[in-house]
Amino acid sequence: MQNTHLVKRRVIGVDISNDRTSFAIVDVRGNIIAQNHFPTDDYKDLNHFVSKLTEEILMLAEANGGYETIRSIGVSCPSASVVSGCIENAANLPWKGLVPLEAMLRDRLGIAVAVGNDAHTSGLGEHMYGSAHGMKNFIVVSLGVGLGSCFFSEGREHLGMKGYGGEVGHTCLVDHGRKCACGKEGCLEAYVAANGIVQTAQELMAESDQPSLMRDAKELSPRIIKEFCDQGDELAIETFRRTGYLLGIGLANYASLVSPEAIILTGGIVHAEQWLIDHVRDSFESHVFGNIRGKVRLLVSDLNDGEREILGSCALAWEVPEYSLFK
Ligand SMILES: [Zn+2]
């Protein structure tokens, strides 16, 4: 006989990125019980993608304690709004325009689903399971292909009217500056996310004849530039110094508005470690509003890559009110 009073103590977190869709069953303590993934770009048709994801979620749940033990599902995806439940004009995903992913998954899966953008869910993940645990006012900045961010005020995330609160990556740093992927010019993201760092390296190489390992590299990425820093390459070191200086200005402006107790940096680029972070700190302290100078902690997330995205979407899953077609 079905137990209608079963307390559901597990959720499923889904992380959609342009190349891979990962999903996992996670318990109330944040333990990952089981996980799997498939290539996102094999499913350029939206209906095929939703069918594949639904099928995979059901299989994983059935193989690990049963679908009836799952409370809800949280989905993290670039350009998604938790307010509309839609992916809205994602630049790097195969599905264009407005994609009502939350409604599509809820219809097929029959339980509560919440969809939010990756910046928002990484904030939730840091708050529930990571470096921001116990904090009320903090900023999370994710540095990778893009620059995502969200901030919490008095213990709640600030979503804004449309669910995009905290988009510091697309605030203007340089008037008529570099072209940004969003279509504007001079955005912070265009200088400090992955492509921006590579562009800075190319500009530095063009400015002088100084020898550099970067000149002979087949391709450049923040990871490769960091390796050259470790080998003492001066232009590589200068690349991260400039990046850190500009990021420090962006974060100082952000902190001066929000007055957080901490800024938590996450994402692939934080692996540049001291080559970047020390310069961010120096620039931050010299640009931030005087009354909060020395009082905002700049932290690097202690959640692992891969784990962070899943835990963030699970934190979102716990926020959505429970609902089931099967009761
Ligand atoms: Zn932009």
Side-chain angles (χ1 to χ4, degrees), residues 169-171 179-190:
H170 302 288
T171 56
K179 188 94 181 144
C180 179
C182 76
K184 298 199 303 150
E185 288 177 346
C187 295
L188 178 63
E189 175 175 304

Side-chain angles (χ1 to χ4, degrees), residues 5 10 53 59 83 87 96 168 184 187 233 286 288 290 292:
H5 299 292
R10 310 199 302 172
L53 181 56
M59 278 196 319
V83 176
I87 306 171
K96 300 304 167 200
V168 73
K184 298 199 303 150
C187 295
D233 187 277
S286 61
V288 78
I292 62 170

